[in-house]
Amino acid sequence: MTMKRSVGMKLALAGALLLVGAQAGAQQGAMSFFVTSTGNGKGADFGGIDGADRHCQTLAAAAGAGSKAWRAYLSTQAAGGKPAINARDRIGAGPWQNAKGVVIAASVAALHGENNLTKETALNEKGEVVNGRGDTPNQHDVLTGSQADGTAFAAGDDRTCGNWTKGAAEGAAMVGHHDRRGLDNSAPAISWNSSHPSRGGCSLDALKGSGGAGLLYCFAEK
């Protein structure tokens, strides 16, 4: 092989790699939905719902999508004179697509109906598949604090880990299964947003115990 041909092949390869990188960057720039690749290390304690939003924003920015306003898909319960907040009301109107450009739902109604959320489409902000049932460790429990229609639970039994301020043995949070898999095929078992309450509290260890890691769904509001 001549030196001239070798240089030409190297330049072509470099150009191809740049093109692939640009395409990947463009897809992540258009990303409007992801599952967080990591929790904050404090279980369900994000210092409140605003702290959860900041967690989404920080991870999105690291992935090149920080120009959008990101919101955690979380509800809160009425407490201390403050009204409840519905997760479905704080994430914008859609449509939303993952880091690979796949649309997971066209609207709020579609998101809470026949959506396209599966283990293969509920990717993290890096475009990676998140561990689910059958993987080690299982991390399919995603914090939501929400009912199946995306609304908050009534005041009473804690379903939001103290509105996302508890990270110890006290409290519980409703979680969904991002992989749509559970112990059976009942509606709760395969629900992406309202499968079961956490067991044993709100700490990271408690969340791990039932197949979680303190992960969130993040949506671009606009």
Side-chain angles (χ1 to χ4, degrees):
M1 180 183 296
T2 66
M3 182 176 293
K4 185 175 182 180
R5 184 182 177 188
S6 176
V7 170
M9 290 180 66
K10 289 179 180 179
L11 289 174
L13 177 60
L17 291 173
L18 286 172
L19 178 60
V20 170
Q23 290 173 336
Q27 285 179 333
Q28 287 187 303
M31 176 178 68
S32 49
F33 161 83
F34 63 89
V35 178
T36 57
S37 60
T38 182
N40 69 349
K42 299 179 181 179
D45 181 7
F46 288 87
I49 199 167
D50 290 342
D53 289 344
R54 285 193 294 274
H55 187 58
C56 286
Q57 194 75 45
T58 297
L59 293 179
S67 62
K68 301 180 178 70
W70 289 88
R71 299 288 179 264
Y73 182 92
L74 295 176
S75 294
T76 65
Q77 295 170 271
K82 295 182 179 180
I85 295 173
N86 301 321
R88 64 180 293 143
D89 296 336
R90 61 191 318 270
I91 58 173
W96 300 280
Q97 64 184 49
N98 66 20
K100 300 295 186 183
V102 176
V103 175
I104 58 99
S107 65
V108 173
L111 180 65
H112 296 90
E114 295 295 323
N115 62 50
N116 188 34
L117 274 170
T118 66
K119 181 181 179 182
E120 291 71 31
T121 62
L123 305 178
N124 67 23
E125 74 280 1
K126 302 174 185 178
E128 301 167 339
V129 173
V130 179
N131 278 11
R133 185 173 175 80
D135 297 324
T136 302
N138 177 16
Q139 298 179 329
H140 73 169
D141 285 357
V142 180
L143 299 169
T144 70
S146 302
Q147 301 185 83
D149 64 355
T151 58
F153 286 92
D157 290 341
D158 187 9
R159 290 293 179 266
T160 60
C161 284
N163 289 335
W164 315 112
T165 62
K166 294 178 180 178
E170 182 185 6
M174 182 59 70
V175 302
H177 292 164
H178 85 279
D179 59 356
R180 315 300 290 271
R181 295 182 62 190
L183 296 176
D184 53 43
N185 289 321
S186 64
I190 62 174
S191 174
W192 71 275
N193 69 337
S194 196
S195 187
H196 60 83
S198 61
R199 294 182 280 273
C202 299
S203 69
L204 183 56
D205 284 342
L207 298 181
K208 287 180 178 179
S210 63
L215 305 184
L216 304 171
Y217 293 117
C218 301
F219 290 80
E221 184 183 25
K222 58 183 177 179

